[in-house]
Amino acid sequence: MNDFIDDAKIERILENAKNPDRLHVEEIIDKAGELKGLSPEETAVLLQTEDRDLVEKIWATAKEIKEAIYGNRLVLFAPLYVANHCSNNCLYCGFRKDNKELKRVALNMEQIANEVRILEQEGHKRLLMLCGEHPSRSSLDYFIEAIETAYAIKTDNGGEIRRINVEIAPLSVDDFKRLKATNIGTYVLFQETYHHDTYKTMHPSGPKSDYLWRLTAMDRAQQAGINDVGIGALFGLYDYKFEVLGLLFHALHLDSAFGVGPHTISIPRLEPAMNAPAAIKPPKPVLDDEFKKLVAIIRLAVPYTGMILSTRETTEMRREVFELGISQISAGSRTNPGGYQDDSGEGFRAAQFNLGDTRTLDEVIHDITLKGHIPSFCTACYRLGRTGGDFMELAKPGLIQKFCRTNAIITFKEYLEGYASPSTREAGNLLVDRLVAETEKAGTKRTLKNRLKRIENGERDLYI
Ligand code: SAM
Ligand code: SF4
């Protein structure tokens, strides 16, 4: 399989785009506003734009695109770390092999079930399951059993996990087929850095030191029939402009090879982590304004690709970038295996990195509700087989608005009825009422009202 990331070409594109002409920048922003996406060359021009008023125009256009395609929904999920043993030595990660102070944990199935029960009782329906890369302590057999265990746990009030996305080390096509058979949602994997030399420095040993095996993981996942894949870069390792173009070339490669780009792009930024030199002192730190700019530019360049923001970012930064194009967020997260059931205060000893937003799911929901976002737990598309190319077909003509908005409101109502604190329920019901009133199409409004009534009467798991 060919390496489709050409460092010299990316550097050249960035070099040629330096000091862009105002008019040219404005033309590109206008083109992006038509939801047509951008080429790497056009994206580079925006990345090289430093004039404050133009950057603000990029932010404003990103907001419009997010509104046009995704509405104001934010899909919520929780990460579930099952094991932190790792045979790699990634210089930025607390789980790295050389971190002898880390408390190593591999949850057994009963402990995993307990974690899932807690998450379900908070109202979560979607998980991102992760672990370190270790041949015996995090084997694929173990991980598959963990997925099956999590899907099998049911709690009161319709508590269940309806979609498990997975973030584990790259697999062979045959192993991806085994993973797919467990009914996972999206397979997520970050390239960390697309820059070859930096990749080599950051991953000095272990299977992860093979850049190409990681770069081509999504191709093997697709070949195995997993058609929702999520890519990402860990910002802070190398120049953020290079990484954005790396993500774009990755997306273009998948689009041309499989007729569909990535389902999601994640944009993690380096956080401090125990005994992880590159996390304690990031080689190329990304400033807050640069981070906001890169989020907005990704929204302009690939308007139909979902964008995921984790609790690595602070509450304040999350509030700012939600509007710039984020479609999925984690909330109430722990990055130590067993973290949801551990109230010892010692969780940091087993954690992968520090969190910027430590609020509970209910606190996050209350906050975003007041800002007019619709918290969503929807899993309908994947359960109705609207994935990969089918999902993109749905997304492109704007149907995502019709289906997803309705399903978002229904699943939000389910949350409000089953799990919300009194103040969140009050704020949430006001929002739901407003959204119903704002629904223009009579048929959609009827369907929505009917489903909301049924949820109030105790039915669960309704979607269209
Ligand atoms: N071990 C697998 C791997 O490396 O792909 C599974 C995912 S790992 C548990 C999750 C992700 O956390 C990594 O891909 C990396 O991007 C991110 N990560 C590691 N250390 C981090 C840090 N200090 N700050 C922010 N993100 C970090
Ligand atoms: Fe292991 Fe993943 Fe951490 Fe690297 S990022 S040390 S592979 S858990």
Side-chain angles (χ1 to χ4, degrees), residues 86 88-90 92-93 95-96 131-133 192 208 352:
C86 197
N88 290 312
N89 223 341
C90 313
Y92 44 81
C93 180
F95 292 174
R96 61 199 290 261
C131 63
E133 181 171 13
E192 319 296 10
K208 193 163 167 180
Q352 194 190 16

Side-chain angles (χ1 to χ4, degrees), residues 77-92:
F77 70 93
L80 178 57
Y81 284 76
V82 292
N84 64 9
H85 296 266
C86 197
S87 48
N88 290 312
N89 223 341
C90 313
L91 296 188
Y92 44 81

Side-chain angles (χ1 to χ4, degrees), residues 3 7 60 79 82 107 119 146-147 174 239 263 372 420 425 427 433:
D3 187 343
D7 290 17
V82 292
L107 300 181
L119 290 167
I147 293 173
D174 283 346
D239 176 19
H263 187 62
R425 185 170 305 136
D433 290 347

Side-chain angles (χ1 to χ4, degrees), residues 52 59 63 288-289 292 295 309 314-326 371 373:
R52 183 74 192 186
W59 288 338
K63 278 186 198 175
D288 285 352
D289 267 2
K292 282 168 60 183
V295 170
L309 187 77
T314 60
T315 305
E316 294 71 30
M317 178 50 72
R318 272 158 62 92
R319 282 187 186 131
E320 288 204 53
V321 292
F322 284 165
E323 299 193 334
L324 296 177
I326 302 299
K371 303 258 173 327
H373 300 289

